[in-house]
Amino acid sequence: MPPDEGLALHRAACDLEVDGPLLEVGSYCGKSSVYLGDAAQAQGRVLFALDHHRGSEENQPGWEWHEPDLVDPAVGLIDTLPHFRRTVFQAGLEGSVVALVGDSVAIARNWSTPLAFLFIDGGHGAEPAHADYESWVPHVAVGGRLAIHDVFPNPADGGRPPYEIYCRAMDSGAFNEQPATGSLRVLTRCAPGI
């Protein structure tokens, strides 16, 4: 996440007007968790940082964004959880950032708390992106915010699924858009619906 997008994410999460926690889908090594966790801490809120910590499809061996140093040699799979925990600890945010480790859809099925802020930055394939959208957007309270990362209108600039879920939100009539920063889109819920 470029610094300008991180700062825009932080600003969007700082002046929330509805009750509830913040939740991010896709915390990876914790960079966005620091921006959001700081905003949560300043408001006396909690950020739930959700990730399975095995890396998205683009993080796997043979893909452009693979980082071999994130592979746990004992199991042969990516494990970003220790890196995430270290990042949150070093930022002094352990009291405001709660890690949720598991499958996004399974956790959403068992979630009942309305969200003041939802940040979607999980898997960028069609299935995981749309599943995150369908599973978590209904939990955003009216007046709450939805942020989506890696939204690229031009297919040559990046993958389509984050752009597709952004379009779904805008087409639903349930969200108003704030000014964009890079590939970050921030929307405010104005009505129920997905």
Side-chain angles (χ1 to χ4, degrees), residues 38-175:
D38 183 73
Q41 185 176 61
Q43 299 170 80
R45 298 178 191 255
V46 171
L47 166 67
F48 290 97
L50 168 59
D51 201 307
H52 51 63
H53 290 284
R54 293 296 186 204
S56 299
E57 57 278 355
E58 67 272 12
N59 305 128
Q60 302 307 317
W63 287 73
E64 179 181 2
W65 301 105
H66 178 63
E67 296 179 61
D69 59 317
L70 295 178
V71 174
D72 177 349
V75 296
L77 299 172
I78 289 175
D79 187 359
T80 58
L81 183 58
H83 303 274
F84 167 83
R85 293 195 58 178
R86 186 176 312 112
T87 299
V88 170
F89 172 79
Q90 290 173 340
L93 293 170
E94 285 189 309
S96 300
V97 177
V98 177
L100 297 177
V101 180
D103 179 73
S104 174
V105 173
I107 292 172
R109 252 188 251 123
N110 292 282
W111 189 268
S112 60
T113 304
L115 299 171
F117 192 94
L118 171 63
F119 178 46
I120 298 179
D121 191 22
H124 287 17
E127 185 178 333
H130 286 276
D132 287 340
Y133 180 86
E134 291 162 8
S135 299
W136 286 106
V137 168
H139 296 288
V140 178
V142 172
R145 294 205 175 116
L146 166 64
I148 305 169
H149 194 230
D150 295 326
V151 174
F152 296 107
N154 182 347
D157 295 333
R160 299 305 288 167
Y163 177 72
E164 292 167 3
I165 64 172
Y166 156 77
C167 289
R168 285 180 69 178
M170 294 306 299
D171 291 346
S172 74
F175 294 92

Side-chain angles (χ1 to χ4, degrees), residues 31-43:
K31 190 171 189 179
S32 59
S33 305
V34 171
Y35 288 111
L36 292 173
D38 183 73
Q41 185 176 61
Q43 299 170 80

